[in-house]
Amino acid sequence: MARKLVAANWKMNGSAEGNAALTGRVVEAVSALACEVVLCVPYPYLLQVGGLLAGSRIGLGAQDLSEHDAGAYTGEVSAAMLTDVGCTHVVIGHSERRKYHGETDDVVLGKVRRAQAAGLVPIVCVGESREEREAGETEAVVLRQLEAVFAGLDDVGARSLVLAYEPVWAIGTGLAATPEMAQAVHASIRTALRSRLGDDAGALAVLYGGSVNADNAASLFAMADIDGALVGGASLDAEAFISICVANSGR
Ligand code: 13P
């Protein structure tokens, strides 16, 4: 049985005051649930949110990290800094990083290696654009992004990932993939994982992301290869996010 995990990606949202209320409510409501929960928050709030999560079972994640170790890289944040402030996870290769910051598959692999070397669990995002889907290239794009990471990792590294399938056209649009569409891609991902990792493939969490909300979460989680969600907009609403975590725990 694959792991159950719901990760919040707050993206570039938050304020000291709002974070306290949101995090406090999430800690109160999800701590007893049977799914793993991680909050991926902007760098300036990692210490604050980490403090609020102290003593809970909820993980703390960043949304990116540098592919470099340390030194003259103004504005960058290293893997060691993330573990220093209590991070357990880090999102890597989000489509917004790939699109707005030119992150290539090579850069994504470099960041995954840095993260793992520091003991962080990378949440690696893959997904096709609308044009790629319309051209019938969904599976090819997703598997290329996945293989680019796998090719550079040993088996221990390949087993120590969380994957997130996030179709670009579904992100922030309110147009989530149907459970069947998402499952079809997740099944391809699982097949690729199996050919690399054998039976261990079942233990790796493969999340779906893209307009997940309190209403559609349960039908997505009912699919055989969807283990959880990477949640953007709905993670900023405590009650919506909690509902998604409850839906994932109950399946
Ligand atoms: P939305 O849930 O806002 O569509 O964002 C998904 C996402 O990009 C999470 O990383």
Side-chain angles (χ1 to χ4, degrees), residues 9 11 91 94-96 125 166 170-174 209-212 230-234:
N9 176 5
K11 308 195 178 185
V91 176
H94 192 280
S95 64
E96 289 149 17
C125 301
E166 296 209 313
I171 295 176
T173 58
S211 296
V212 176
L230 181 55
V231 186

Side-chain angles (χ1 to χ4, degrees), residues 18-32:
N19 302 342
L22 175 57
T23 308
R25 176 71 189 115
V26 169
V27 168
E28 174 184 80
V30 310
S31 292

